[in-house]
Amino acid sequence: MAGLRAKPRVGRFGAAIAGLMLAAAPAQALDTLVFSVPEVETGLQASLRAASLLLTAKRDGTTDPQDVFAAAQAEYGRLVGALYARGHYSPVIHILIDGREAASIAPLDAPARISRIEVRVQPGPLFTFGSAHVAPLAAGTVLPQGFATGARADSGLVQEAVVAGVEGWRAIGHAKAAAAGQNIVADHARHRLDAEVQLAPGPVLRFGQLAITGQQRMREARIREIAGLPTGDVFSPKALARSAERLRRTGVFRSVSLTEDEAITAPDLLGISAVVVEEKLRRYSFGAELASLEGATLSGTWLHRNLFGGAERLTVSGEVANLGAQTSGVDYKLGVTLDRPATFTPDTTLSFHAEVAHLDQQDYLENSGGLGFGFGHIFTEHLTGRAGLDYTWSEVTDLSGRAVYQHLALPVGLTWDNRDVKLDASKGYYLEAEAKPFLGFGTTDSGLRLKGDARAYRGFGDQGRFVLAGRVQAGVVLGPSLIGTPRDYLFYSGGGGTVRGQPYQSLGVSVLRAFGDQFKTGGMAFLAASVEMRAKVTDKIGVVGFVDAGHVGAMEFFDTLGGWHAGAGLGLRYDTGFGPVRLDVAMPVGGDTGAGVQVYLGLGQAF
């Protein structure tokens, strides 16, 4: 630790000196390694073993004598650092290479063969803080809880306290705050560490101009608009981080770095330099999912990241679903979306979209098309919102005949997402709510569609080995008649997104026409709940047990025309590094809409 000095006593371990070593003839080395550390406190031995270069070399099968000798000489510093981090400032360390102290062997005398290394560590007494002082501090600064007189003097706490003090000043505009001096003394007689650090806040600064380098196809003016750096406002680390994140989330750049200038521009401006590296213009992606009854779903996307040089993103996506399905035909979808970030505000994205689709379901055929536009806005790191205007036309054919639906919709939604990992969350919440008022034309009724999705995750056990996950979905259509509601606004249950173990959209509502024809359609009220217990077997492999249940009501929740069903099963997960591969096997445990085992294969957790 910089600035550390001992009063009456100096540690009895040798200092490691790096030097040039001559090449030695190849030979086997490190036949025996003995690592001797008394367990004077919980976790100390594990910390030292984790810091050991020699143990790492042994695990990696290193045998070259020069490599082993270099690791032995560097071992002193590694172990001392680990001991300081645990509050032990008077250690005695011996590293014996075939009986000789490694620190006493000159680099040019490196042994040609090493048979045995013995590491002996005496941690020495535990030190506590005498004085623990960082000043001056900005109002509201919170220092680490353990940085206090009488607490264990872990070296890392001093650094954390200094960082907290500096960041406290930076948060209120003192961008050049820094440690101006320190006095850190280890008193070996009293086993005490005195730590006093003086901070220099510096002046309050304002954001200066943004200088940009590295762009090739992006227009510089658009980079400034997207970054939204508040030039002229008081400096804020959060504002600087938000500007960098706005540039990253466009997808245009492979890397983005925003750094503060070293010099201050008179009178009080701090310039910011942005260095960007652009991604390739185009990207292709493909996906596949498989379910036993629904068959295979294939999807693909073509993306242009920077269509007009202003981070305009053009996406063409297609999907073919229900390939080989046992209960329905093949579905097709094709969509085009154009997104423009930083429209009106740096956190607002304007989107235009169009889609055509053909659905061949068990109970009906539908051909549809739609187009619209909308705005997405990022309020905070976790909260996003959206609003838009859509026109949709669809032609539906079922046992009741042919019907044409036309309507305008105004979807408005909010999403709160603080999950730690989107595809494999172990903690946090996901809440989504959407209200969609719609105006029908011709035989299409008008009304309001509401839908919500809530998910929660909690990890427990050693290193979060177990995760309890839950999900609740709900939806309702208010105002129109059942027959006058656009078909894709009605609710069904069953399948991988609602109730596993039950066939896709197997639960709906049976409607009896006056002339005697009976057919199934979706309902105007929907509830579903899922619970999963996830457990890691190894770092890569996990198992899951789950139960799902769903209910569909004809006109309202739990009416006499509605019904419910449930499914349960087991799953296997394999972590690929970018998301787990999911295999679920489920069967019905309630209701009368399904029979037999259902199998689901996809990427990412079920929710």
Side-chain angles (χ1 to χ4, degrees), residues 439-460:
L439 174 65
F441 302 102
T443 59
T444 308
D445 293 340
S446 301
L448 173 65
R449 188 178 193 262
L450 302 173
K451 188 176 181 183
D453 187 353
R455 311 174 195 179
Y457 309 85
R458 181 171 182 179
F460 57 95

Side-chain angles (χ1 to χ4, degrees), residues 184-207:
I184 302 175
V185 179
D187 186 341
H188 293 270
R190 293 189 290 174
H191 308 149
R192 194 174 82 170
L193 185 74
D194 295 321
E196 296 182 359
V197 181
Q198 187 73 20
L199 300 181
V204 174
L205 300 178
R206 295 180 295 133
F207 280 114

Side-chain angles (χ1 to χ4, degrees), residues 557-568:
F557 295 109
F558 308 113
D559 58 22
T560 57
L561 296 177
W564 74 280
H565 61 181

Side-chain angles (χ1 to χ4, degrees), residues 1 96 532:
M1 180 187 301
L96 304 178
E532 286 193 352

Side-chain angles (χ1 to χ4, degrees), residues 277-548:
V277 178
E278 294 185 11
E279 277 278 13
K280 294 180 179 178
L281 279 177
R282 299 169 185 85
R283 187 189 72 185
Y284 305 88
S285 62
F286 301 93
E289 291 191 8
L290 180 65
S292 52
L293 285 184
E294 294 100 276
T297 298
L298 303 178
S299 60
T301 299
W302 177 86
L303 170 69
H304 194 298
R305 304 176 193 272
N306 192 12
L307 191 62
F308 304 122
E312 300 87 359
R313 184 169 54 204
L314 178 66
T315 305
V316 180
S317 59
E319 180 182 278
V320 181
N322 298 340
L323 289 167
Q326 301 180 28
T327 58
S328 64
V330 179
D331 298 342
Y332 306 92
K333 290 182 181 179
L334 178 65
V336 179
T337 302
L338 178 63
D339 297 320
R340 183 184 188 273
T343 302
F344 301 130
T345 80
D347 293 310
T348 304
T349 297
L350 170 63
S351 298
F352 298 93
H353 58 269
E355 182 181 82
V356 294
H358 169 78
L359 302 181
D360 187 352
Q361 300 299 308
Q362 182 177 1
D363 302 299
Y364 68 94
L365 291 172
E366 179 179 11
N367 294 306
S368 65
L371 53 87
F373 70 94
F375 295 93
H377 186 78
I378 299 176
F379 295 100
T380 69
E381 179 184 359
H382 302 302
L383 181 63
T384 59
R386 60 193 180 278
L389 181 65
D390 298 330
Y391 169 78
T392 304
W393 175 94
S394 64
E395 179 187 63
V396 177
T397 303
D398 56 24
L399 291 178
S400 69
R402 174 181 173 273
V404 174
Y405 297 95
Q406 298 182 70
H407 66 277
L408 280 173
L410 182 65
V412 178
L414 288 173
T415 300
W416 171 269
D417 188 355
N418 69 345
R419 295 173 294 177
D420 55 345
V421 180
K422 298 295 187 286
L423 291 178
D424 192 11
S426 61
K427 63 179 180 180
Y429 300 92
Y430 176 91
L431 303 171
E432 182 178 27
E434 182 184 70
K436 184 185 290 187
F438 58 95
L439 174 65
F441 302 102
T443 59
T444 308
D445 293 340
S446 301
L448 173 65
R449 188 178 193 262
L450 302 173
K451 188 176 181 183
D453 187 353
R455 311 174 195 179
Y457 309 85
R458 181 171 182 179
F460 57 95
D462 184 30
Q463 296 182 339
R465 180 183 175 189
F466 300 97
V467 176
L468 180 63
R471 181 184 192 184
V472 175
Q473 301 177 78
V476 64
V477 181
L478 303 174
S481 66
L482 181 63
I483 301 301
T485 302
R487 197 61 173 260
D488 60 344
Y489 279 26
L490 298 176
F491 298 100
Y492 294 84
S493 182
T498 53
V499 178
R500 288 162 288 182
Q502 298 285 354
Y504 176 66
Q505 291 193 350
S506 58
L507 181 61
V509 175
S510 294
V511 179
L512 184 63
R513 286 281 192 175
F515 47 82
D517 292 334
Q518 187 170 2
F519 66 98
K520 192 181 78 174
T521 184
M524 299 180 70
F526 164 72
L527 278 174
S530 300
V531 177
E532 286 193 352
M533 176 59 76
R534 305 168 184 170
K536 288 184 178 180
V537 179
T538 69
D539 289 341
K540 292 288 186 181
I541 298 175
V543 295
V544 175
F546 58 85
V547 178
D548 301 337

